[in-house]
Amino acid sequence: MNDQLIMDNYLLVLKSTVEVYVHGTLESSNEGSRNVLKECLVDTLTNQANTYDLMTKYGWYNVSNVDATKVNETLNNIKSKN
């Protein structure tokens, strides 16, 4: 297992963890629990951003710009369905 694969897996775990914390925060009826979940969410989002930054630094996570035509097509499709 190489470093890139480890980082890919870690990033996936962080993304899944964010989903859990978001839902827990939204559904929590206890303010203390909600605050703890929010803190965990912020920490996890910070870890995700740091991991993403590190992966892009090493060229392990490539982001490409989307053609404006594709964006407009998608927006038009969404608008036509509403």
Side-chain angles (χ1 to χ4, degrees), residues 48-80:
Q48 185 276 332
N50 292 338
T51 302
Y52 168 82
D53 290 343
L54 186 61
M55 291 180 73
T56 54
K57 175 182 172 184
Y58 287 107
W60 297 339
Y61 196 106
N62 297 312
V63 178
S64 59
N65 292 330
V66 177
D67 181 22
T69 306
K70 294 281 186 191
V71 172
N72 289 329
E73 286 176 13
T74 302
L75 289 173
N76 289 333
N77 286 338
I78 292 170
K79 288 177 185 177
S80 69

Side-chain angles (χ1 to χ4, degrees), residues 6-68:
I6 292 169
M7 296 295 281
D8 281 338
N9 287 328
Y10 183 58
L11 191 59
L12 288 173
V13 168
L14 289 170
K15 289 178 180 182
S16 297
T17 304
V18 164
E19 290 182 38
V20 171
Y21 286 139
V22 165
H23 291 286
T25 302
L26 291 172
E27 299 297 327
S28 179
S29 61
N30 177 287
E31 186 175 350
S33 298
R34 186 172 37 257
N35 289 335
V36 168
L37 290 166
K38 282 197 296 189
E39 288 177 27
C40 291
L41 175 60
V42 170
D43 289 344
T44 305
L45 287 169
T46 301
N47 285 334
Q48 185 276 332
N50 292 338
T51 302
Y52 168 82
D53 290 343
L54 186 61
M55 291 180 73
T56 54
K57 175 182 172 184
Y58 287 107
W60 297 339
Y61 196 106
N62 297 312
V63 178
S64 59
N65 292 330
V66 177
D67 181 22

